[in-house]
Amino acid sequence: MGLTSETTVYVAAAVAAVCVALLVWVWPRLASPSVRHVLGRLAAIGVTQVTIIAAFACWLNSSYQFFGSWGELFGNVDTAPVGVTQAAGHNSAGTAVAVKGALVQPASDEQLSRVSGLPSGNPAVNGKVESVKVIGRRTGVVDPAFVYLPPQYFQKAYARQRFPVVVALSGYPGSIFNLAQYLRVSQTAGQLQRSGQMQPTIMVMIRPTIAPPRDTECVNVPGGPQTETFLAKDLPQALKSVYRVGHDASAWGVMGYSSGGTCALQLTMRNPHVYTTAGALSPDYKIKDDPTTGNLFGSGLGRVNRVNGHDLMWRLKHLPVPQVSVLVAESKHGERGYPQTVAFINAVKAPMRVASILPESGSHNFPTWVREMPATLKWMNEQLTFPQDVVPRHVPKKGHSTVRAEGTEQPKPTASTRKK
């Protein structure tokens, strides 16, 4: 009985109902003022309240997928490195190929099957969303992800073409289900691409919470989870080993909401050789310790430098400005971060570029972020370069396999694939 299954929700609700009925039934029998009966009444009330809260929590988690399994809930997750072989290739014919050293493997479709509005049918016409696990070669992290592949990815004319990538990050304690169902990442991107407002782009939905239930933000915790290494090194390496994605940083962007937006800014400003574009919806501009994070920066002489390094305002003032483009979104009324967002915008200087979405009103929630998504993706599309490199063609010669890169024959760019 999985943590997110409907059976778990129904069982928890039934247990809560039984406890309420028992409370009503035993209450007259515990009416005596004796100490034993008083303690009995307190225990009955406590047990009933716990079961009601547990039933509500199960329903809420099943709806929003904060924790995908009992192991995640109790912090017992598998982080050991594993050897992976890609089971299915992504060439235009859809035939199975073995990719040596691949770091992505198929995962359960349980969460994906609950997402509405996903493409179906012929992937060469409608695109496809895959449920996978990403393996971190350096960190040993195993993190679930959804990967949206545009229709062009499966078309013969693009069989050797690489594609730009946008990594979408959830907030805390959010999940990839939230990105797909409530933020509508792949649905929005697919609609924009079909209408020619966005070039064919691979969308990767992943959570930065690599050691649940702890919120590690995007920090390499001394002696702890190495979140920044996973997202800035392991994730790109894994995707490049399996999918036809661009190898140059100009084809890579990262976006997110809430703490995922904070993470997107941090990754781009701290790793401009990996991500050159960021879209941040309702972000913070400084990472701080709190009860959900624990001690992120360690102790000793290096703590101050680590804290400052994750303070974006401090970086803009004291460090060379990276040549990246960022977009920040914050509502003027209804969200608390508007003054900090304005201060960040004013602090940005060349060669860094900043754009903003500043609606008059909104809240720190999905309806606000969904409104901001199309403009964010269209803006990111204008910053990202459609890769000019192609997948090398293997040409057998005298019984041996040789590799010849043929970069002169490419699909002619259309309005949706040409960099604006």
Side-chain angles (χ1 to χ4, degrees):
M1 190 165 59
L3 177 61
T4 61
S5 69
E6 292 184 355
T7 302
T8 301
V9 177
Y10 292 146
V11 169
V15 171
V18 169
C19 286
V20 170
L22 288 175
L23 176 63
V24 174
W25 181 72
V26 303
W27 193 260
R29 293 162 176 75
L30 299 175
S32 170
S34 67
V35 173
R36 182 169 65 88
H37 284 175
V38 170
L39 293 177
R41 291 197 295 272
L42 292 175
I45 293 173
V47 171
T48 302
Q49 289 182 334
V50 167
T51 56
I52 292 174
I53 293 172
F56 177 75
C58 285
W59 169 80
L60 191 65
N61 185 70
S62 180
S63 298
Y64 291 94
Q65 303 284 310
F66 296 125
F67 299 97
S69 66
W70 294 104
E72 286 187 9
L73 178 64
F74 296 107
N76 181 25
V77 293
D78 183 11
T79 59
V82 297
V84 182
T85 299
Q86 176 68 6
H90 301 283
N91 54 15
S92 57
T95 57
V97 296
V99 182
K100 183 179 180 180
L103 298 170
V104 178
Q105 66 180 13
S108 169
D109 287 336
E110 179 182 350
Q111 292 190 72
L112 194 61
S113 64
R114 301 177 59 194
V115 178
S116 61
L118 295 180
S120 59
N122 186 353
V125 176
N126 303 313
K128 181 181 180 182
V129 178
E130 298 184 338
S131 178
V132 301
K133 290 182 180 179
V134 178
I135 315 301
R137 175 167 290 173
R138 296 169 181 81
T139 60
V141 168
V142 181
D143 209 20
F146 294 151
V147 179
Y148 166 76
L149 302 171
Q152 291 82 355
Y153 194 89
F154 302 94
Q155 295 172 6
K156 185 177 181 180
Y158 293 82
R160 295 177 54 240
Q161 179 67 52
R162 300 188 187 275
F163 291 81
V165 182
V166 172
V167 175
L169 302 174
S170 65
Y172 176 84
S175 68
I176 55 176
F177 179 82
N178 290 353
L179 290 166
Q181 176 67 14
Y182 298 108
L183 195 59
R184 315 295 286 176
V185 170
S186 57
Q187 298 90 325
T188 304
Q191 183 177 5
L192 292 174
Q193 293 175 34
R194 286 192 299 272
S195 63
Q197 299 180 73
M198 184 177 178
Q199 60 193 345
T201 302
I202 293 175
M203 307 294 298
V204 180
M205 293 158 272
I206 198 165
R207 60 181 187 179
T209 308
I210 65 171
R214 185 180 183 182
D215 179 14
T216 55
E217 297 285 337
C218 275
V219 176
N220 281 343
V221 181
Q226 304 294 288
T227 312
E228 183 175 20
T229 296
F230 175 74
L231 294 172
K233 295 183 178 180
D234 284 344
L235 177 62
Q237 179 188 28
L239 295 174
K240 290 175 183 177
S241 72
V242 173
Y243 297 102
R244 301 197 313 274
V245 296
H247 284 197
D248 190 83
S250 64
W252 285 72
V254 57
M255 64 164 294
Y257 66 89
S258 191
S259 62
T262 304
C263 200
L265 289 177
Q266 295 277 340
L267 287 170
T268 303
M269 293 182 63
R270 290 173 56 86
N271 302 274
H273 58 289
V274 179
Y275 300 103
T276 56
T277 303
L281 312 182
S282 305
D284 291 321
Y285 303 94
K286 180 179 182 179
I287 294 178
K288 303 177 182 178
D289 290 341
D290 63 36
T292 65
T293 66
N295 185 354
L296 292 174
F297 303 106
S299 58
L301 298 176
R303 176 178 171 82
V304 173
N305 289 336
R306 288 190 288 270
V307 170
N308 288 338
H310 288 277
D311 182 341
L312 300 186
M313 297 298 290
W314 184 92
R315 295 184 68 90
L316 289 173
K317 183 177 180 180
H318 295 94
L319 297 179
V321 177
Q323 188 172 348
V324 297
S325 299
V326 302
L327 178 146
V328 292
E330 192 84 22
S331 302
K332 296 179 181 179
H333 304 287
E335 294 191 88
R336 296 179 298 177
Y338 181 73
Q340 291 78 17
T341 296
V342 172
F344 176 81
I345 293 171
N346 293 334
V348 171
K349 53 191 176 184
M352 184 174 171
R353 296 188 298 169
V354 62
S356 62
I357 300 175
L358 304 173
E360 284 296 325
S361 62
S363 300
H364 198 80
N365 57 25
F366 284 109
T368 297
W369 300 324
V370 167
R371 288 172 51 209
E372 298 165 345
M373 271 290 291
T376 300
L377 288 178
K378 285 191 287 187
W379 177 86
M380 295 185 72
N381 166 76
E382 294 173 355
Q383 317 310 312
L384 297 178
T385 302
F386 197 89
Q388 297 303 305
D389 54 326
V390 296
V391 178
R393 177 179 297 167
H394 294 263
V395 181
K397 183 179 180 181
K398 295 182 179 180
H400 299 282
S401 294
T402 60
V403 178
R404 183 180 64 187
E406 297 183 6
T408 57
E409 298 180 3
Q410 303 177 42
K412 184 178 180 180
T414 64
S416 63
T417 61
R418 191 179 297 114
K419 186 178 184 294
K420 297 178 177 61

